[in-house]
C-alpha cells in the first residue's frame, strides 16, 4: 500500500502545533509496519529549509484562476526522517518565513493544485490520499469533481480533523480559482453561503477521522457550525487517538535535556532538570513547579491565566512557569505579572523546542485547562517524562488522563474552565506533592504508559485496507 499524507505542517520542517507532530510521526510508524507512507507539504522559507539541501524532482506551472504560477517539487537530499518528504515550492505564494498568513486561500489552493498535478504524472498512483485539516480540504472535491483529475477519481481519500474550529472559509467570488468542475455540484463546496474547505472535505472524502474518540462525539454537539453535517455523515466518521513519537520523546536519549533519565533514575534526572529551570528563571526549587506549554488563546483557557495565576500564587507555596505565545494582550499581561511575583512566577513568551523538552523533564505538573482539545499531545509528552498532568476532562484529555481519585488514576482532572476550578486543581496538585511517596510513585508509574504511534498507526492501516477491499 502506498499512502500519501498531504499537510500544511510536518515536524521538524514546519511546526505551529500538534498537526506537525502527527504528520511527522505517523508516516514513520506506518513505514515501520510495512507500508509506503509519504508526505507532501508546502516549501517555506525557515530555518530548516535554509539549512537542508534539496534536489528538484519536478518543474511545472499551475493556473489559479487567470493567473499562472511556476512551481517545483523538491525533496531532501539527505533524508533521515523515516519517510519520503516532498515539498511544493510556489515561490510567489508559499515561499514565506511562516506557515500561515492573511492570503491563505490562494496559497493553500495553489499548494493543493500543484500536489494533484504532480500526482497525475506518477506511474504508481497512491493507494490512499490522507488529507489533514482544512488546508488540504479541497483535495477530495477536486479528485472527484474536477475534470483535470479524472484519473484520480477512484483513489480513496481520508480526512483527519485536527481542529474543527478552523475551516478555511472563503467567498464564492473566488470559486473561479478552483479547476473546472460541473457547476451543478457547487453545493459540495458550500456551507452556510461560503466555500468551506473543511465542510467540503467531510462531504467528499471516503472516511473522516478525528484525533480522539471523545472529540468525534463532541463535534456532533459543538463544531463551529458543522454539527449537523458531521451528524449526517456519522456513518463514515471514526475517532482514532493520536500517538507520540516514542523515539523523539524519550527522556533516556533526548538531546535537549540537561540530564537524561529512565524510570529507574527518574528522581535524580528530573531534579537536575528542575534545578536548571529554577536557576535560569529565578524560581524556588523547593516549591512544586506548575507549567504551561502552548498557545495563549481562548481554546487553551489562556484568557483566565492572569486571574488564575494571581489566585494560585497568593499563598506563596508554588512556582509557575509559562512557555507560550498567542494573543498579544494575554502575552503582555503574563509578561507584566513577572514583576509582581518575582521568584514565584516567570514566563518565556514565544516558543523554544529545547526549553519545552526541559520543562517536560523538570516541572512537577503541567496545566491543560482547555476549552477545546481535539487530542492533546502535551499530556502524552508529560506522561512519557514522568510529569503529572492537570487537565480539563474534554476531548483527548478525557481519553488519556484518569483522575487520582479513581482506580488506577494518575492525573488531576476538572470539569469546567473557570478560575475556581483551575485553582482548586492546582491546590490538589500541591497536596499530592506534599505526599512525596505517593507523588514519586505516580510520576514513576506514568512513564510506563505507552502512547506511542504503534496502536494508532495500526488503526489507520486497517482503515486504509477497508477502503481498498
Amino acid at each position: 500500500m502506498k499512502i500519501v499524507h498531504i499537510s500544511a505542517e510536518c515536524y521538524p520542517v514546519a511546526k505551529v502545533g500538534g498537526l506537525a507532530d502527527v504528520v511527522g510521526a505517523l508516516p514513520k510508524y506506518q513505514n515501520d509496519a510495512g507500508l509506503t507512507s509519504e508526505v507532501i507539504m508546502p516549501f517555506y522559507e525557515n530555518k530548516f529549509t535554509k539549512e537542508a539541501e534539496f534536489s528538484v524532482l519536478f518543474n511545472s506551472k499551475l493556473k489559479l484562476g487567470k493567473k499562472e504560477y511556476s512551481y517545483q517539487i523538491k525533496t531532501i537530499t539527505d533524508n533521515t526522517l523515516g519517510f519520503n518528504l516532498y515539498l511544493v515550492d510556489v515561490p510567489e505564494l508559499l515561499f514565506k518565513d511562516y506557515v500561515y498568513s492573511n492570503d491563505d486561500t490562494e496559497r493553500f489552493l495553489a499548494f493543493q493544485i500543484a500536489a494533484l498535478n504532480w500526482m497525475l504524472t506518477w506511474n504508481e498512483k497512491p493507494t490512499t490520499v490522507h488529507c489533514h485539516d482544512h488546508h488540504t480540504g479541497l483535495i477530495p472535491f477536486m479528485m472527484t469533481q474536477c475534470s483535470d483529475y479524472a484519473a484520480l477519481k477512484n483513489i480513496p481519500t481520508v480526512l483527519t480533523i485536527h481542529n474543527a474550529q478552523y475551516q478555511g472559509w472563503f467567498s464564492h467570488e473566488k470559486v473561479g480559482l478552483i479547476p473546472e468542475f460541473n457547476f451543478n455540484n457547487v453545493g459540495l463546496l458550500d456551507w452556510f453561503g461560503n466555500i468551506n474547505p473543511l465542510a467540503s472535505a467531510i462531504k467528499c472524502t471516503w472516511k473522516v477521522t478525528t484525533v480522539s474518540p471523545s472529540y468525534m462525539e463532541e463535534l456532533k454537539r459543538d463544531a463551529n457550525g458543522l454539527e449537523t453535517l458531521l451528524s449526517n455523515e456519522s456513518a463514515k466518521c471514526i475517532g482514532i487517538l493520536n500517538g507520540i513519537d516514542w523515539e523523539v520523546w524519550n527522556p533516556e536519549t533526548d538531546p535537549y535535556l540537561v540530564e537524561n533519565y529512565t524510570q529507574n533514575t527518574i528522581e535524580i534526572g528530573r531534579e537536575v532538570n528542575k534545578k536548571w529551570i529554577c536557576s535560569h528563571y529565578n524560581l524556588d526549587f523547593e516549591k512544586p513547579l506548575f507549567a504551561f506549554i502552548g498557545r495563549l488563546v481562548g481554546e487553551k483557557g489562556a484568557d483566565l491565566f492572569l486571574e488564575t495565576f494571581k489566585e494560585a500564587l497568593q499563598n506563596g507555596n508554588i512556582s509557575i512557569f509559562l512557555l507560550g505565545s498567542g494573543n498579544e494582550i494575554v502575552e503582555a499581561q503574563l509578561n507584566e505579572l513577572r514583576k509582581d511575583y518575582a521568584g514565584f512566577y516567570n514566563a518565556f513568551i514565544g516558543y523554544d523546542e529545547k526549553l519545552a523538552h526541559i520543562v517536560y523533564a523538570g516541572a512537577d505538573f503541567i496545566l491543560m485547562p482547555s476549552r477545546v482539545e481535539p487530542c492533546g499531545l502535551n499530556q502524552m509528552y508529560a506522561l512519557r517524562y514522568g510529569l503529572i498532568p492537570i487537565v480539563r476532562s474534554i476531548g483527548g484529555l478525557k481519553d488519556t488522563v484518569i483522575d487520582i481519585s479513581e482506580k488506577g488514576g494518575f492525573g488531576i482532572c476538572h470539569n469546567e474552565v473557570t478560575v475556581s476550578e483551575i485553582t482548586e486543581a492546582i491546590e490538589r496538585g500541591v497536596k499530592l506533592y506534599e505526599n512525596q511517596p505517593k507523588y514519586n510513585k505516580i510520576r514513576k508509574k506514568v512513564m510506563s504508559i505507552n502512547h506511542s504511534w504503534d496502536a494508532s498507526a495500526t488503526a489507520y492501516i486497517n482503515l486504509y485496507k477497508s477502503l481498498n477491499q
Side-chain angles (χ1 to χ4, degrees), residues 435-453:
N435 185 345
Q436 280 289 300
K438 183 177 181 180
Y439 166 75
N440 286 323
K441 183 179 179 180
I442 289 176
R443 67 177 185 174
K444 190 171 184 178
K445 170 188 173 181
V446 299
M447 285 187 70
S448 64
I449 299 174
N450 190 334
H451 281 298
S452 75
W453 268 107

Side-chain angles (χ1 to χ4, degrees), residues 217-253:
E217 294 308 308
E218 289 165 7
L219 286 182
K220 294 173 185 176
R221 302 187 299 272
D222 182 12
N224 201 8
L226 299 180
E227 298 84 4
T228 56
L229 176 59
L230 284 162
S231 295
N232 292 338
E233 298 284 0
S234 61
K236 66 179 180 183
C237 296
I238 182 173
I240 298 176
L241 186 68
N242 278 344
I244 62 174
D245 192 320
W246 215 238
E247 296 174 8
V248 171
W249 296 93
N250 182 356
E252 185 175 1
T253 58

Side-chain angles (χ1 to χ4, degrees), residues 189-407:
L189 294 169
D190 182 82
W191 195 250
F192 288 108
N194 285 305
I195 293 176
N196 185 317
L198 190 63
S200 177
I202 294 168
K203 295 176 188 179
C204 297
T205 196
W206 293 36
K207 282 286 184 179
V208 177
T209 72
T210 54
V211 290
S212 71
S214 289
Y215 187 54
M216 177 60 80
E217 294 308 308
E218 289 165 7
L219 286 182
K220 294 173 185 176
R221 302 187 299 272
D222 182 12
N224 201 8
L226 299 180
E227 298 84 4
T228 56
L229 176 59
L230 284 162
S231 295
N232 292 338
E233 298 284 0
S234 61
K236 66 179 180 183
C237 296
I238 182 173
I240 298 176
L241 186 68
N242 278 344
I244 62 174
D245 192 320
W246 215 238
E247 296 174 8
V248 171
W249 296 93
N250 182 356
E252 185 175 1
T253 58
D254 189 336
Y256 289 133
L257 301 192
V258 183
E259 178 81 16
N260 293 104
Y261 58 93
T262 65
Q263 198 171 22
N264 292 328
T265 59
I266 181 174
E267 291 187 21
I268 184 63
R270 292 190 60 80
E271 179 181 299
V272 172
N273 285 284
K274 181 178 180 180
K275 283 182 176 177
W276 185 94
I277 297 168
C278 292
S279 65
H280 279 72
Y281 292 95
N282 186 31
L283 300 171
D284 187 344
F285 171 79
E286 299 299 329
K287 293 182 173 63
L289 177 57
F290 294 78
F292 173 84
I293 301 173
R295 292 181 297 124
L296 300 177
V297 295
E299 285 181 22
K300 304 296 183 183
D303 53 305
L304 300 181
F305 283 178
L306 180 65
E307 189 177 349
T308 300
F309 291 174
K310 284 182 177 179
E311 182 74 20
L313 290 165
Q314 66 179 352
N315 294 326
N317 61 345
I318 68 169
S319 294
I320 296 176
F321 181 73
L322 177 140
L323 168 59
S325 63
N327 183 291
E328 291 182 0
I329 295 174
V330 174
E331 289 179 1
Q333 291 174 336
L334 295 173
N335 241 338
E336 189 70 18
L337 193 64
R338 296 188 299 176
K339 297 177 182 178
D340 297 328
Y341 294 94
F344 299 93
Y345 165 82
N346 213 328
F348 182 101
I349 302 300
Y351 185 74
D352 183 290
E353 189 74 20
K354 178 178 180 177
L355 180 56
H357 283 241
I358 295 174
V359 172
Y360 284 117
D364 296 302
F365 300 91
I366 187 165
L367 300 170
M368 298 184 69
S370 304
R371 290 189 175 90
V372 178
E373 197 64 72
C375 174
L377 296 176
N378 287 14
Q379 82 278 16
M380 297 185 194
Y381 301 147
L383 296 172
R384 175 71 161 140
Y385 283 61
L387 170 60
I388 298 174
I390 298 180
V391 306
R392 190 246 177 140
S393 292
I394 191 169
L397 300 177
K398 183 179 179 181
D399 292 334
T400 54
V401 180
I402 302 171
D403 192 86
I404 55 174
S405 65
E406 300 180 31
K407 184 178 180 181

Side-chain angles (χ1 to χ4, degrees), residues 47-170:
K47 185 176 185 292
F48 184 95
T49 57
K50 289 175 182 177
E51 294 178 354
E53 292 186 5
F54 298 90
S55 56
V56 177
L57 301 178
F58 186 72
N59 284 283
S60 190
K61 294 182 178 180
L62 65 87
K63 284 189 175 181
L64 200 61
K66 296 180 180 180
K67 283 190 173 184
E68 190 173 68
Y69 297 92
S70 297
Y71 71 94
Q72 294 181 329
I73 306 295
K74 298 178 176 179
T75 190
I76 302 174
T77 303
D78 185 17
N79 186 353
T80 59
L81 299 176
F83 54 88
N84 290 332
L85 176 70
Y86 306 108
L87 299 99
V88 177
D89 183 8
V90 190
E92 290 183 68
L93 291 174
L94 290 173
F95 197 63
K96 298 184 176 181
D97 60 356
Y98 42 76
V99 175
Y100 304 117
S101 72
N102 58 7
D103 58 350
D104 280 350
T105 296
E106 288 78 5
R107 294 175 71 224
F108 288 117
L109 189 49
F111 162 60
Q112 293 171 88
I113 291 170
L116 290 180
N117 287 355
W118 180 48
M119 211 177 289
L120 286 173
T121 69
W122 296 1
N123 291 326
E124 181 190 358
K125 299 294 191 289
T127 309
T128 303
V129 174
H130 192 150
C131 304
H132 295 267
D133 270 350
H134 76 83
H135 324 100
T136 59
L138 292 176
I139 284 176
F141 174 86
M142 291 192 287
M143 287 176 63
T144 57
Q145 303 299 321
C146 294
S147 56
D148 287 353
Y149 307 117
L152 307 176
K153 185 173 184 177
N154 295 319
I155 297 174
T157 56
V158 173
L159 166 72
T160 294
I161 301 174
H162 297 260
N163 192 332
Q165 297 300 305
Y166 306 101
Q167 300 170 14
W169 316 267
F170 60 94

